[in-house]
Amino acid sequence: MAVVDDLTHPPAKRVRRGGDGLIAAGSLILLIVLFGAVAAPWLSQWGPTEIDPIAFLEPPGPGHWLGTDGNGMDIWSRILFAARIDLGVAVASVALAVLVGGTIGLATGYAGGWVEETTMRLLDIVQAFPVFILALTVAALLGNSLHTLILAIGLINAPAYARLMRAEVRSLKSHIYIEAAECAGNSRLSILFRHLLPNALTPLLVIAPLNCGWAILMLAGLSFLGLGVAVPTAEWGAMISTGAADVVGGRWWTSVFPGLALFITVLGFNLIGEGLLQRTGQRR
Amino acid sequence: MTGADVLEISDLTVDIDGPNGTVRALDQVSLSVAAGEVFGLVGESGGGKSMLARSIVRQLPGRARVSGSVQVDGRDVFAMDAEALRQHRGAGAALCFQTPRSSLSPARTVGHQIVDRLRAHAGMDETEAWKAALALFQQVGIREPERRLGAFPHEMSGGQCQRVMIALALACGPRLLLADEPSTGLDVTLTRDILALIAAQAGKDRGVIVISHDLAAIAAICDRIGVLETGRLVEIGPTAQLLTRPTHPYTKRLVAAVPDINRVRAATGAPAGGGGPLLAVENADVVYRSRFGRQGHQALFDVSLSLRKGETLGIVGESGCGKSTLSRTIMGLIRPTRGRVMIDGIDLAGLGRSRLRHLRNRMQMVFQDPIDALNPRRSVAQIVADPLRLIRLGRAEQDRRIDAILTDVGLGPDYRKRRPHELSGGQAQRVGIARALVIDPALVVLDEPTSALDVTIQAQILELIRRLTARRDRGYLFVSHDLAIVRSICDRVMVLSEGRVVEEGPTDRLFEAPQDPYTRRLLAAVPSLSTVSERHAGNGG
């Protein structure tokens, strides 16, 4: 009997998509920012809240490379130390959002029925408020420590992840391999975490870097309005806020440099996010 | 009855540049089709059948490079300017696409879509066009044509959509009608009707080309058949000659792979008797509830069956008859609304989730879509090992079992690390079978295990299933719409129609002396190469 090529099928080649350049550029930017944050004490001779009593609102120069603010604090040093807080809050809050939102979406999407309907309507209510107003309210209610800021920004982003995860799980549920998993004797937990989660996670992880950028902007926005970190702590948004008054008097360096740092970091996150979107084929 | 040539293809070669180099989709294909002739084009997926059809209407992918010529009605298709090509696509050659429903616009009624084409191509005014559309609908055998003109594609069945597609193709009176896999997704009886309708369109001014992977189905209507293998036309000839005296090895393989309804199950010893039934379904009703519990759809009515160890029971019926619902009910994926499903005398409906889960080492299932049944993120070894978590085994013992079962289904341990996207359909189905057997279940439900596969691959998977069922060590439930396959595999057959059992009995008795008119109708619609070649021989070729 003739033997056919059923058993000699070549493995499919991985299709390469674009986006690699964007990811590389974004990663480079973030690595530089991260290096600045980690090596902050060695990269500047001033502490972030250390006051130089003879230099108030001094323009950029040899003593203070990016100048000083109205309290006599070194801007360069503050920008470096602020990166620790901004990066930390961004990553932690997005991780929280992915964890909380992802779990809600996974569980409700798989459960279906009234559980899903009820949860989704509740999330609708949360999402009906403008995001920033909601963040303001939560931050104002909980007080402005770093933990509450992470909590506020994380929880506010969670519904979007819940929605994304639920949509993903719902479409995955109709695949036969989920039914096959049930037939193979997997428990519900095993189906959720072994079969659904690994397949549903990609879109969430692709969105996460973009969201880190937004989280930094949100933190900066809260700080700008005085609801962010406590006053002397170095944070980009707070620095822009306090420096904004000085711009009028021609002292541009107090707000422009932290603004640039903020801009570059968000750009880094967005480049990675955009690159991932292209690479996973979700955007051309 | 054949007239002048309407299609003349000579030395047609199509190369397509892809990311992994150039692929030769068609290689020096030459053929001609005369008016009044029905020409069949067969071959397996990737053979270039659709590419040939697309060459004729000049709808090739942008990166295609073409040499050779395609002439329709004496005019070279690849030399046409835009306007001539536009005319050619309606009045020269018209293509019926493979999936009619997705080829029709979901946003417009089918009547509008035909009228649009008539007005654009034939220059009719509104009233003329509606009249012509009505005539076309009558011509293609759509019932209640006036009412159906106002229907949207989603309101029509697959067979009706296919008829609309044919009407669309006929709208401008093409010299050549091309039908690409017109029977995809249709039942045996519908397939026969649609193919007859397409064949009837060949006439004194028109030739017809039917493309299919199903040699048996189109053999009945074709005057001549061409066989495509990886872009090459390896054999071409009158149907009877091709079926009875194929010369090329690939054609021989295709002909041999066609399941023959006259092939009976090889004797493999009687099923082991004794003891109670392995599986018993008693008076099962299944009602699917709609969203708010109102207006349920009843899929099964009072279905009963029993299966003993060592026996293979076939369940046949057309799509929508409740076959899949029945197999899913037996697997405990759906609970019957009324009645019982018993495995080894244990009623599934009375079990909690956890008890049911542990009963799954007694029963396993093989699914219709082999690729989609495998989790894309997991390796073959992980997939096959999935059911083994029901019984705790040591690492070494588990690996030994996986290797043994992979070898048993014809793959071998080399496949352990592959992912589903690195498998062909046939290989994927072997993995699916390995997963079902690895835990050594007493009952295996095979739900249309070969219907998504090419015919030669299907023949190989069927050989594997025959080998497995011949061991008589388990009970097999073989669900299929293909009667020829069922006959060659099953000991007993049950015929389902619209959720009810219409007939049940030993395979030979049921095929030779069917009692129920529905069974008779089903059997009569099955194409068979032996009867086809006799008929063609009788017609004098």
Side-chain angles (χ1 to χ4, degrees):
Chain A
M1 183 188 145
V3 179
V4 195
D5 59 343
D6 176 29
L7 300 177
T8 56
H9 175 78
K13 282 189 185 156
R14 192 195 167 113
V15 183
R16 223 183 114 91
R17 293 179 203 265
D20 289 1
L22 293 178
I23 294 172
S27 307
L28 185 68
I29 292 175
L30 288 187
L31 278 176
I32 292 169
V33 175
L34 189 68
F35 173 76
V38 172
W42 297 278
L43 290 176
S44 98
Q45 63 268 50
W46 298 91
T49 52
E50 195 178 340
I51 293 170
D52 183 354
I54 55 159
F56 294 98
L57 288 172
E58 195 172 280
H64 298 280
W65 297 334
L66 300 183
T68 59
D69 64 12
N71 297 319
M73 297 180 197
D74 183 69
I75 304 256
W76 168 240
S77 161
R78 285 176 66 76
I79 284 178
L80 291 179
F81 280 94
R84 293 180 167 187
I85 288 181
D86 283 272
L87 284 182
V89 170
V91 173
S93 63
V94 170
L96 183 75
V98 171
L99 199 70
V100 173
T103 312
I104 292 174
L106 187 65
T108 57
Y110 183 61
W114 66 270
V115 177
E116 182 183 14
E117 290 294 331
T118 315
T119 317
M120 285 303 133
R121 294 299 81 80
L122 287 176
L123 292 182
D124 279 346
I125 294 173
V126 176
Q127 285 195 302
F129 291 99
V131 176
F132 199 75
I133 306 286
L134 204 59
L136 271 180
T137 317
V138 176
L141 285 176
L142 297 179
N144 51 355
S145 79
L146 266 188
H147 292 112
T148 56
L149 282 171
I150 290 171
L151 203 65
I153 297 173
L155 291 184
I156 279 153
N157 284 316
Y161 285 101
R163 213 161 265 292
L164 194 59
M165 182 61 119
R166 165 185 164 264
E168 202 63 25
V169 168
R170 273 176 65 120
S171 79
L172 286 176
K173 249 193 343 183
S174 63
H175 281 279
I176 298 175
Y177 64 81
I178 299 302
E179 200 162 77
E182 197 178 341
C183 282
N186 285 274
S187 63
R188 269 184 292 185
L189 275 183
S190 171
I191 290 176
L192 273 177
F193 290 101
R194 212 180 283 269
H195 294 279
L196 279 172
L197 184 62
N199 287 298
L201 209 51
T202 314
L204 271 74
L205 296 184
V206 167
I207 298 291
L210 284 174
N211 221 328
C212 282
W214 301 336
I216 290 187
L217 287 176
M218 195 178 281
L219 174 65
L222 288 173
S223 298
F224 188 87
L225 295 175
L227 287 164
V229 293
V231 170
T233 318
E235 194 281 324
W236 294 329
M239 290 170 72
I240 298 169
S241 169
T242 48
D246 303 322
V247 176
V248 187
R251 267 81 67 142
W252 52 270
W253 57 88
T254 51
S255 54
V256 166
F257 288 121
L260 271 177
L262 181 70
F263 164 72
I264 287 171
T265 311
V266 173
L267 179 70
F269 278 120
N270 283 4
L271 284 175
I272 293 181
E274 187 65 32
L276 284 175
L277 280 179
Q278 284 188 13
R279 194 161 153 174
T280 53
Q282 294 177 42
R283 191 177 297 172
R284 282 249 143 222
Chain B
M1 77 183 210
T2 54
D5 284 353
V6 289
L7 174 72
E8 179 86 51
I9 297 179
S10 52
D11 286 332
L12 179 67
T13 299
V14 175
D15 289 313
I16 296 181
D17 297 324
N20 304 321
T22 304
V23 179
R24 180 149 290 193
L26 290 175
D27 195 357
Q28 302 215 307
V29 173
S30 299
L31 63 88
S32 63
V33 175
E37 189 181 28
V38 181
F39 184 85
L41 202 56
V42 297
E44 295 178 288
S45 31
K49 305 186 300 276
S50 294
M51 205 55 80
L52 187 57
R54 283 169 170 277
S55 303
I56 296 169
V57 292
R58 200 168 143 191
Q59 271 187 345
L60 291 165
R63 289 151 299 156
R65 282 179 285 124
V66 181
S67 69
S69 80
V70 176
Q71 296 199 334
V72 174
D73 223 4
R75 306 208 303 144
D76 188 344
V77 173
F78 286 96
M80 288 176 179
D81 62 19
E83 179 52 31
L85 187 61
R86 202 176 69 84
Q87 287 296 330
H88 164 69
R89 281 182 185 154
L95 176 60
C96 293
F97 290 96
Q98 181 167 1
T99 45
R101 199 189 304 271
S102 49
S103 308
L104 294 170
S105 164
R108 282 175 78 68
T109 64
V110 289
H112 272 111
Q113 296 184 47
I114 291 195
V115 166
D116 285 349
R117 180 167 298 192
L118 286 168
R119 294 185 67 187
H121 278 275
M124 294 184 186
D125 69 27
E126 183 97 31
T127 24
E128 275 176 347
W130 280 105
K131 248 182 240 162
L134 184 61
L136 279 168
F137 266 36
Q138 283 159 345
Q139 189 186 340
V140 297
I142 292 176
R143 265 172 285 171
E144 299 180 73
E146 292 91 347
R147 201 168 63 80
R148 282 298 171 186
L149 279 172
F152 287 94
H154 68 263
E155 295 170 330
M156 309 184 90
S157 68
Q160 283 175 321
C161 281
Q162 190 60 262
R163 287 177 196 272
V164 171
M165 199 70 210
I166 295 169
L168 263 173
L170 292 176
C172 307
R175 300 297 311 273
L176 186 66
L177 177 68
L178 293 158
D180 191 358
E181 298 274 7
S183 61
T184 303
L186 301 182
D187 295 321
V188 272
T189 45
L190 264 178
T191 297
R192 194 187 49 174
D193 295 349
I194 292 285
L195 287 176
L197 172 66
I198 291 171
Q201 305 310 319
K204 85 175 162 31
D205 294 322
R206 184 179 297 143
V208 171
I209 295 185
V210 183
I211 295 172
S212 180
H213 65 280
D214 191 344
L215 184 54
I218 67 164
I221 60 160
C222 293
D223 302 310
R224 282 192 305 144
I225 290 181
V227 180
L228 269 178
E229 185 195 17
T230 57
R232 304 177 72 92
L233 195 62
V234 294
E235 188 162 358
I236 184 166
T239 306
Q241 182 193 323
L242 196 104
L243 295 182
T244 49
R245 295 184 302 281
T247 53
H248 192 274
Y250 183 70
T251 316
K252 286 181 185 160
R253 228 156 55 206
L254 275 185
V255 172
V258 171
D260 188 348
I261 189 113
N262 298 318
R263 173 173 177 178
V264 297
R265 178 170 189 165
T268 56
L278 175 65
L279 164 73
V281 177
E282 294 171 2
N283 312 99
D285 282 359
V286 171
V287 181
Y288 286 113
R289 294 215 183 285
S290 61
R291 201 176 163 92
F292 296 105
R294 272 169 284 199
Q295 283 185 334
H297 162 70
Q298 185 153 3
L300 291 182
F301 297 84
D302 197 28
V303 173
S304 297
L305 65 85
S306 79
L307 178 73
R308 283 176 301 157
K309 184 182 173 189
E311 196 179 26
T312 305
L313 172 64
I315 300 201
V316 296
E318 299 181 300
S319 47
C321 74
K323 298 185 305 260
S324 288
T325 303
L326 180 57
S327 50
R328 296 175 77 230
T329 308
I330 289 167
M331 287 304 295
L333 296 169
I334 303 174
R335 303 226 163 185
T337 320
R338 190 179 68 91
R340 297 198 292 180
V341 177
M342 320 254 282
I343 305 278
D344 285 335
I346 305 167
D347 185 3
L348 293 186
L351 295 181
R353 208 172 255 277
S354 160
R355 293 269 317 278
L356 176 62
R357 192 158 74 78
H358 286 285
L359 205 63
R360 293 205 182 280
N361 63 8
R362 306 280 298 138
M363 54 195 208
Q364 287 290 313
M365 182 159 172
V366 176
F367 296 86
Q368 176 171 4
D369 184 337
I371 305 273
D372 198 44
L374 309 180
N375 187 335
R377 296 258 164 179
R378 319 204 86 207
S379 69
V380 166
Q382 285 175 314
I383 289 167
V384 174
D386 210 16
L388 287 178
R389 278 179 299 112
L390 283 170
I391 46 172
R392 303 259 170 237
L393 290 178
R395 182 91 202 162
E397 169 63 13
Q398 181 168 327
D399 283 346
R400 198 194 56 73
R401 274 226 207 177
I402 293 170
D403 289 349
I405 201 74
L406 282 177
T407 310
D408 202 15
V409 297
L411 290 175
D414 306 349
Y415 282 81
R416 292 183 66 109
K417 288 203 164 55
R418 292 233 190 146
R419 306 265 156 183
H421 69 92
E422 296 169 327
L423 301 172
S424 68
Q427 292 167 345
Q429 196 55 292
R430 284 172 198 267
V431 172
I433 293 172
R435 168 173 60 190
L437 298 184
V438 72
I439 199 162
D440 195 19
L443 169 69
V444 179
V445 176
L446 302 150
D447 188 2
E448 299 261 15
T450 61
S451 61
L453 304 173
D454 269 336
V455 59
T456 58
I457 308 297
Q458 167 176 311
Q460 293 171 40
I461 297 292
L462 287 175
E463 268 321 306
L464 171 63
I465 292 172
R466 272 189 208 103
R467 187 157 59 75
L468 293 169
T469 56
R471 292 182 195 164
R472 300 282 183 199
D473 54 351
R474 304 189 172 96
Y476 285 91
L477 204 69
F478 189 90
V479 179
S480 180
H481 68 279
D482 192 325
L483 291 146
I485 293 176
V486 166
R487 183 166 201 192
S488 69
I489 286 194
C490 301
D491 301 308
R492 272 192 304 137
V493 178
M494 202 169 106
V495 182
L496 273 185
S497 171
E498 288 168 18
R500 291 185 171 85
V501 179
V502 294
E503 188 165 2
E504 199 220 319
T507 307
D508 291 340
R509 207 276 293 144
L510 192 122
F511 276 77
E512 272 149 31
Q515 305 293 311
D516 191 89
Y518 178 78
T519 315
R520 272 184 236 138
R521 207 149 49 77
L522 213 54
L523 281 170
V526 175
S528 165
L529 288 189
S530 38
T531 51
V532 164
S533 39
E534 278 162 28
R535 194 177 63 81
H536 276 277
N539 288 351

